[in-house]
Amino acid sequence: MVAPAGWSEPFQAPEFDEITLVLAGTVLIDHDSGTLEVGAGQSVITRGGERIRYSCGPEGAEYVAVCLPAFSPDSVHREEDADTAAGDAS
């Protein structure tokens, strides 16, 4: 995937594990304990059921994501409410 500067997805709690290998730039992964920065040449594994949100740094990012079992729109469970996705409890 090639993600432009400022790109982000809503929070999600997928049913699958995801291995992300960053080729260029920085991928940011928001989770319940904070934000993880994954730079070029690094990888990370997120586990199914974990509430996460992917975004990228100011230079954008280029990365490969492998989902096990495979990604499907029905199994990613993206949050649709913008306030919930931003973590706003009001």
Side-chain angles (χ1 to χ4, degrees):
M1 169 147 171
V2 176
W7 169 85
S8 70
E9 291 185 327
F11 270 97
Q12 57 192 8
E15 296 175 17
F16 47 80
D17 294 346
E18 187 166 350
I19 303 162
T20 303
L21 171 61
V22 180
L23 305 174
T26 304
V27 172
L28 306 172
I29 303 172
D30 296 323
H31 53 93
D32 289 341
S33 298
T35 301
L36 178 65
E37 293 187 26
V38 186
Q42 296 180 317
S43 62
V44 64
I45 299 174
T46 55
R47 299 295 181 186
E50 185 177 5
R51 183 176 180 263
I52 54 176
R53 177 176 56 188
Y54 292 96
S55 61
C56 63
E59 71 282 5
E62 188 173 334
Y63 66 95
V64 175
V66 178
C67 303
L68 299 169
F71 172 92
S72 79
D74 293 332
S75 66
V76 71
H77 305 295
R78 287 191 176 120
E79 295 178 8
E80 295 184 29
D81 178 18
D83 289 341
T84 301
D88 183 355
S90 59

